[in-house]
Amino acid sequence: MLSALRSVFFRFDYKQIIPMIILLLFGVFFVYGIGQQVGGVGAEIYWKRQIQWAVIGLVIWLVLALFDYRKYGVISLFLWPISIALLGIVLKFGVDRFGAKRWFSLFGFSIQPSEIAKLCTIVFLAWLLSRKDIDVNKIKWFFLSILILTVPAFLIFQQPNLSTALTVIICGVSIIFTARLKLKTILIITVLLAILAPIGYSMLRDYHKERIAVFLDASKDPLNAGWNQMQSELAVGSGGLTGKGFMQGTQNNLGYLPQTVSNSDFIFSVIAEETGFIGAMVVVAMYILLMISIFSTALTAQDDFGRYLCAGIGAMFALHSIVNMGMTIRMMPVTGLPLPLVSYGGTFMVTSLMALGMVQSVYSKRIIPEPED
């Protein structure tokens, strides 16, 4: 029995587990604190829901960590089209919030199909490109890979949800690059993207263009479009070295931060104001450790599928964390990307832990170097 337990624990990557647990605790504590500050119907119990989602996610994480990741690819062959169908259905029958149809309401909980589709797309594309009879440098397979990315991205963009649509594209492109894409092809893609960039900009909605303009110069509209980002920057800066204390942050207490999303999009602003530079750096350090865990697992994966899967998941976590924290200090434009494992939200929390469970499974089957004589 002891030998079996020792074998199981040896298979776990504690470089992933430790930051994962610490970030989950940060999330629960600050979702609780923000709920008490903001008040209103339901705001005070958000932290209880956050715990429920974290527990559900951790159970699924454990199951996926102990399951052989090599089976995930075949499963994704069936789950990916289902996730695409859900994206189509939510556009027709989804709950309308703030002019966007991104959620289903089920038994009192909100489910966001775009997060499910994002993870399914990562797994499916990683599995497809890992097959020995498929070469991404051949035109037909390259364009099939692009199609697999653009279908969910287009449907997500229609919700509208530009930030998640771009995340799907970027995670998929990370997998394609990892799949031994030739330098000549990369250069051609770069030139094409540069040519098509103005067309893509013209397709953006007015509020997307406004966010970009405000990011470049927040003083253009400080009392309207630039308000949230300027107040967020003030919150982060006013925390000083050690912060103002838990639930003592004035920017959120007095309503300067957008209270509808202060527990999700702008939760890092609250953390930085209340725990200061030291607390903010602890959060940053946990994400760095998590990235090291994911990408080092990719390097030691025993096959291409495990390598590509970790590359896509690593890109997802890196993009979410960098963009979310970056927008709070005006280094990135304001987007709706939540902070992984910390921001309030059920579907993203569960799918993030599912993704980490898959990485943990790859780690358990990794190639362990032979010790030198």
Side-chain angles (χ1 to χ4, degrees), residues 46-338:
Y46 284 165
W47 67 279
K48 296 181 181 178
R49 290 187 177 181
Q50 187 83 340
I51 292 175
Q52 290 175 351
W53 290 322
V55 170
I56 292 170
L58 286 171
V59 170
I60 299 175
W61 173 89
L62 182 60
V63 172
L64 294 179
L66 297 177
F67 193 73
D68 189 343
Y69 73 91
R70 289 168 291 194
K71 302 289 194 301
Y72 299 149
V74 178
I75 296 173
S76 71
L77 183 62
F78 301 97
L79 292 183
W80 184 77
I82 293 174
S83 70
I84 298 301
L86 289 174
L87 289 176
I89 294 171
V90 78
L91 288 174
K92 184 70 175 177
F93 303 104
V95 177
D96 195 322
R97 297 180 186 170
F98 308 109
K101 286 190 175 182
R102 304 176 186 175
W103 303 270
F104 286 123
S105 183
L106 187 65
F107 303 117
F109 292 95
S110 293
I111 298 175
Q112 193 170 1
S114 59
E115 297 299 337
I116 299 170
K118 179 169 62 180
L119 183 57
C120 287
T121 300
I122 290 172
V123 179
F124 180 49
L125 185 62
W127 172 75
L128 182 72
L129 295 183
S130 68
R131 293 175 60 85
K132 296 187 182 299
D133 55 338
I134 291 178
D135 183 358
V136 73
N137 291 290
K138 293 182 178 179
I139 293 177
K140 64 177 181 179
W141 296 120
F142 176 77
F143 280 103
L144 177 61
S145 301
I146 297 300
L147 182 65
I148 290 171
L149 298 180
T150 53
V151 169
F154 175 76
L155 292 172
I156 293 169
F157 178 72
Q158 296 303 309
Q159 294 179 354
N161 191 349
L162 175 63
S163 55
T164 303
L166 289 176
T167 303
V168 172
I169 296 292
I170 293 171
C171 292
V173 169
S174 300
I175 295 171
I176 293 173
F177 282 179
T178 308
R180 302 181 182 88
L181 192 65
K182 292 181 179 177
L183 178 60
K184 180 177 71 174
T185 309
I186 295 174
L187 292 176
I188 292 172
I189 294 171
T190 304
V191 172
L192 286 174
L193 288 175
I195 295 171
L196 295 173
I199 300 175
Y201 180 80
S202 67
M203 295 174 62
L204 296 178
R205 290 173 168 82
D206 290 340
Y207 73 89
H208 290 143
K209 296 177 182 179
E210 187 178 50
R211 285 181 177 180
I212 295 173
V214 167
F215 163 65
L216 296 174
D217 183 8
S219 62
K220 291 180 65 174
D221 193 4
L223 298 179
N224 188 21
W227 175 265
N228 289 344
Q229 202 161 33
M230 292 184 70
Q231 295 304 317
S232 172
E233 187 179 22
L234 285 171
V236 174
S238 66
L241 181 63
T242 58
K244 299 175 181 177
F246 183 57
M247 294 176 57
Q248 301 302 312
T250 53
Q251 290 296 105
N252 188 55
N253 262 324
L254 299 177
Y256 290 105
L257 286 175
Q259 295 190 338
T260 54
V261 289
S262 58
N263 61 3
S264 54
D265 297 354
F266 287 95
I267 194 168
F268 184 74
S269 307
V270 179
I271 293 173
E273 183 181 19
E274 296 184 1
T275 64
F277 179 79
I278 293 175
M281 285 302 99
V282 169
V283 173
V284 171
M286 292 304 101
Y287 282 113
I288 291 174
L289 190 56
L290 200 59
M291 294 303 103
I292 291 173
S293 164
I294 295 172
F295 289 119
S296 63
T297 299
L299 292 173
T300 58
Q302 66 171 253
D303 58 13
D304 285 340
F305 176 47
R307 190 170 300 110
Y308 302 162
L309 180 62
C310 290
I313 292 172
M316 180 183 78
F317 274 87
L319 184 67
H320 271 269
S321 56
I322 291 172
V323 171
N324 181 280
M325 291 186 289
M327 75 178 186
T328 65
I329 53 176
R330 285 210 292 149
M331 292 186 67
M332 293 284 179
V334 172
T335 67
L337 291 183

Side-chain angles (χ1 to χ4, degrees), residues 17-33:
I17 294 175
I18 291 172
M20 179 179 74
I21 297 300
I22 291 175
L23 290 170
L24 286 172
L25 290 174
F26 261 95
V28 170
F29 278 115
F30 281 92
V31 167
Y32 168 79

